Amino acid sequence: MAVIALNCPDIRVCVVDLSADQINAWNSDNLPIYEPGLFEVVKKARGRNLFFSTDIDAEILNADLIFISVNTPTKTSGIGAGKAANIKNCELCARKIAEVANGPKIVVEKSTVPVRTADAVRRVLMANEKGINFQVLSNPEFLAEGTAIADLQNPGRVLIGGMQNPQGKAATEKLVEVYAHWIPREKILTTSLWSSELSKLVANAFLAQRVSSINSISALCEATDADVSEVSKALSFDDRIGSKFLTASVGFGGSCFQKDVLNLVYICQSIGLQEVADYWYQVIKINDYQKHRFMRNMLQRMFNTVTGKRIAILGFAFKKDTGDTRESPALFVVKDLLEEGAKLRVYDPQVTREQMFQEFSYTCGINDETKPGLTTTDMVLTMSDAYTACEGVHAIAILTEWDEFKTLDYQRIYNSMAKPAFIFDGRSIVDSSELRKIGFEVYCIGKPVVKDQFI
């Protein structure tokens, strides 16, 4: 919404939320999320044509277009638990709009939703007793956290789905006109509602599939002394494959990939396409395998025990340039290490201690009740910088590819660590040969194991 406001000074944009704390944060210089370039965009448009408010009813009445941008988490109980998306929040928004609106509105799904959710939203809206006509559009985002502002300013495409009748096409054109303020028309694609909804799920599933594909090959490379980065480079020269999403890692995370693949799996299962569901579920299985494999390798290399050993965790966000910890691979590696009795020292430049423990509790069910002493002992300490986190530890696990981790003074770090000093690089960002010269025992995802590095 901030980017729309920035590029459309003639359009009033207001973001509303039930949470006064969230709205107060958006109206301050301390935004509730970290995204490079976001603050500058908000600051430029805020107060001009970009506003943040808790007065939901008033803004519904004033709006011509209403975007539904709410969370659609994976269900944790009931039918479809663990796979299906919970669209309760979308329905609640539709009911609120139907209750408050006093004239025709165009309602736009921005949330990632299961195919045909727009039908449910439309039925709720059209059940209003005031005879008001609503048009429902689908307008999914294809941005990536960490590069979201650039992705929105210069998108590969904008996708808008609407009903294929005169009223639906007219509503679609209204939204096209908004984006046409800064995006060439040839990049604005219009489809049916159902194609638009499904395209978002499929796009994320294809990207997740690429990550799991190269991660599966990383395991093969380690077993055969091949180098996954060399394999990836060889693949990238094939125009049919390309170079994107071919970097092996400890696994994918974030709010979208796993949720959307699981949603796709559930949709396929629910309509009897079990073989298709099984195919896509393998993407998730490989991702889980990669995270656990990383930790098992740490355990094996550290003499089959980490009990009581201090381990530095460098990075907790699911990727660099974001503070988002949802489904972060670090979360699951840390969980496994805690179960083995390790003492962890965590540093991430954008993740707070409170946020980290909230994610532990929400995603893994780990808190002071289930793991006594989690927040009150030295079981997990959060540090203010990488050097403090690494001081006196037996091993370092690099779990987020923050640029600052590439340029650390590793000689200084080595001097402060217990020996032998281990580094486990889950993001392929360090120069392993240089670290071995310092004295580290280094293990990288998909890289040949140097068996004589200490002989």
Side-chain angles (χ1 to χ4, degrees), residues 63-210:
D64 299 307
L65 283 85
I66 301 173
F67 290 80
I68 296 178
S69 306
V70 292
N71 191 22
T72 53
T74 301
K75 290 181 69 175
T76 57
S77 61
I79 297 173
K83 293 188 178 73
N86 190 337
I87 63 167
K88 176 193 73 171
N89 293 330
C90 291
E91 181 180 335
L92 289 174
C93 287
R95 291 187 181 279
K96 184 65 173 177
I97 294 166
E99 172 195 333
V100 174
N102 60 2
K105 308 287 181 183
I106 298 172
V107 177
V108 185
E109 288 178 342
K110 207 66 175 162
S111 304
T112 302
V113 294
V115 63
R116 300 198 75 89
T117 298
D119 190 44
V121 170
R122 187 175 64 85
R123 287 178 61 190
V124 169
L125 291 169
M126 297 306 290
N128 75 88
E129 298 177 345
K130 294 172 279 188
I132 298 172
N133 181 54
F134 294 92
Q135 289 296 321
V136 178
L137 303 178
S138 168
N139 176 218
E141 290 292 1
F142 296 97
L143 56 81
E145 291 188 50
T147 59
I149 300 301
D151 294 342
L152 290 167
Q153 289 283 37
N154 186 28
R157 80 287 202 195
V158 170
L159 181 61
I160 302 172
M163 297 296 290
Q164 299 302 291
N165 56 34
Q167 296 86 357
K169 291 179 179 179
T172 298
E173 183 58 27
K174 288 287 187 183
L175 187 53
V176 168
E177 290 171 1
V178 172
Y179 285 109
H181 278 71
W182 79 99
I183 296 168
R185 289 240 173 185
E186 60 268 22
K187 284 190 173 184
I188 304 175
L189 311 180
T190 58
T191 69
S192 72
L193 269 171
W194 326 129
S195 295
S196 177
E197 288 178 331
L198 188 56
S199 293
K200 172 61 174 178
L201 293 181
V202 173
N204 279 342
F206 268 61
L207 295 175
Q209 178 196 50
R210 296 265 292 193

Side-chain angles (χ1 to χ4, degrees), residues 195-227:
S195 295
S196 177
E197 288 178 331
L198 188 56
S199 293
K200 172 61 174 178
L201 293 181
V202 173
N204 279 342
F206 268 61
L207 295 175
Q209 178 196 50
R210 296 265 292 193
V211 176
S212 283
S213 293
I214 198 62
N215 280 344
S216 71
I217 300 303
S218 74
L220 179 60
C221 286
E222 291 171 31
T224 59
D225 288 340
D227 187 327

Side-chain angles (χ1 to χ4, degrees), residues 276-452:
V276 180
D278 292 343
Y279 173 83
W280 286 107
Y281 191 62
Q282 194 65 28
V283 172
I284 300 298
K285 289 180 67 176
I286 287 292
N287 194 53
D288 290 342
Y289 163 76
Q290 185 78 339
K291 291 178 286 190
H292 295 305
R293 188 175 76 84
F294 183 85
M295 180 273 165
R296 288 196 300 269
N297 186 48
M298 292 181 66
L299 187 66
Q300 178 186 351
R301 301 301 177 184
M302 297 177 69
F303 318 116
N304 291 307
T305 181
V306 293
T307 303
K309 292 179 180 177
R310 297 178 298 278
I311 298 175
I313 303 297
L314 296 188
F316 199 83
F318 85 92
K319 62 185 286 189
K320 73 173 186 176
D321 294 333
T322 180
D324 195 341
T325 59
R326 289 173 291 181
E327 297 293 340
S328 174
L331 183 69
F332 301 95
V333 172
V334 166
K335 175 178 178 289
D336 287 350
L337 289 170
L338 284 174
E339 289 177 354
E340 292 291 334
K343 295 182 180 297
L344 306 177
R345 309 292 181 261
V346 183
Y347 167 68
D348 188 290
Q350 290 297 331
V351 177
T352 65
R353 179 176 176 84
E354 179 185 19
Q355 180 185 357
M356 183 178 70
F357 284 119
Q358 284 176 346
E359 197 64 41
F360 273 136
S361 183
Y362 179 78
T363 301
C364 299
I366 299 176
N367 48 52
D368 279 314
E369 290 184 8
T370 60
K371 191 82 173 175
L374 179 69
T375 65
T376 57
T377 68
D378 64 349
M379 196 181 301
V380 181
L381 300 179
T382 46
M383 302 301 187
S384 59
D385 62 80
Y387 296 107
T388 306
C390 295
E391 188 173 345
V393 300
H394 297 80
I396 298 169
I398 301 174
L399 300 180
T400 309
E401 69 279 20
W402 288 103
D403 289 339
E404 68 179 86
F405 298 156
K406 301 175 184 178
T407 57
L408 293 172
D409 183 346
Y410 281 100
Q411 181 66 66
R412 171 184 168 185
I413 289 173
Y414 177 80
N415 292 342
S416 73
M417 288 177 62
K419 308 299 187 296
F422 295 87
I423 288 186
F424 299 91
D425 182 6
R427 295 292 182 171
S428 301
I429 63 171
V430 299
D431 187 332
S432 56
S433 60
E434 288 300 314
L435 293 182
R436 289 189 182 104
K437 290 177 184 177
I438 292 173
F440 285 103
E441 189 167 336
V442 185
Y443 299 95
C444 302
I445 291 280
K447 301 285 187 178
V449 176
V450 179
K451 299 178 178 63
D452 62 347

